[in-house]
Amino acid sequence: MAKKNYGLVRMVSILAVLALFAVSGMVLVNIGVLVYKNIAESNLENYQLRTSLSYVKTKINQADEAGLVVLKDTDKGEALVLSEEIGGDIIDTVIYYYDGSVREFTHSHSDSFNPEDGFEIIKVDDFSIKQEGDNLIKLSAKDKDGDTETLYTAVRTGM
């Protein structure tokens, strides 16, 4: 009878070790999933910050002609107005922050600007456009964690 109990104890011990191994494996997998999720979310937020700044800088560089890059105060904050002449008509592209995202609105110079009409470029928690000196523009974007990215760009032809 002692031999039967010994076999049973051995079997229970082996099953306990296997169960402990399985539980440990599941815990490690769950920890790995959480770490990966945090890294992916952080990368997405950094991407959104950098992309918002890069997008606006590229638009400024494309429109960099004398008098065609202007910062205007609106009731919703600063807006960047990039103008160009097409077929004798002046077209304004307005880039601004509204309702949690960087937006762009293109319209004829004679038409009025309504922030709700622009299309969303990218979501960020805060975005600002400020003029620093005669030809320097400071672009800042902030995410939900409070991390801020700042980019300075020079308007070579002056503002």
Side-chain angles (χ1 to χ4, degrees):
M1 181 133 177
K3 226 175 191 184
K4 267 187 170 179
N5 286 341
Y6 178 71
L8 183 62
V9 169
R10 197 165 132 185
M11 182 66 80
V12 169
S13 298
I14 291 171
L15 289 176
V17 169
L18 287 175
L20 181 64
F21 179 74
V23 168
S24 299
M26 286 191 292
V27 167
L28 285 175
V29 167
N30 283 335
I31 290 171
V33 166
L34 292 175
V35 168
Y36 178 79
K37 181 181 174 188
N38 289 338
I39 290 170
E41 286 176 357
S42 177
N43 283 343
L44 178 61
E45 289 171 0
N46 286 334
Y47 165 79
Q48 289 172 321
L49 289 179
R50 288 189 313 269
T51 301
S52 65
L53 298 173
S54 178
Y55 178 83
V56 175
K57 180 183 182 335
T58 301
K59 294 296 265 187
I60 290 169
N61 290 344
Q62 290 173 345
D64 194 0
E65 292 183 32
L68 299 183
V69 178
V70 178
L71 280 176
K72 288 188 178 178
D73 275 328
T74 68
D75 56 342
K76 304 293 183 186
E78 288 281 323
L80 180 67
V81 180
L82 310 171
S83 302
E84 64 180 313
E85 185 178 338
I86 299 176
D89 193 20
I90 297 176
I91 304 298
D92 290 336
T93 299
V94 184
I95 299 173
Y96 57 99
Y97 178 76
Y98 178 76
D99 198 24
S101 63
V102 176
R103 294 177 178 243
E104 182 176 314
F105 180 63
T106 302
H107 62 96
S108 175
H109 188 72
S110 58
D111 293 340
S112 63
F113 165 68
N114 187 6
E116 292 87 16
D117 295 337
F119 69 90
E120 183 179 293
I121 302 299
I122 194 161
K123 286 189 176 293
V124 290
D125 277 15
D126 191 25
F127 190 87
S128 67
I129 304 169
K130 297 196 184 324
Q131 185 169 348
E132 303 260 329
D134 291 337
N135 64 342
L136 194 62
I137 296 176
K138 177 184 177 184
L139 307 171
S140 296
K142 186 187 294 187
D143 67 10
K144 68 180 178 183
D145 295 331
D147 295 332
T148 302
E149 291 281 335
T150 302
L151 177 69
Y152 290 89
T153 185
V155 180
R156 291 180 294 273
T157 57
M159 295 179 68

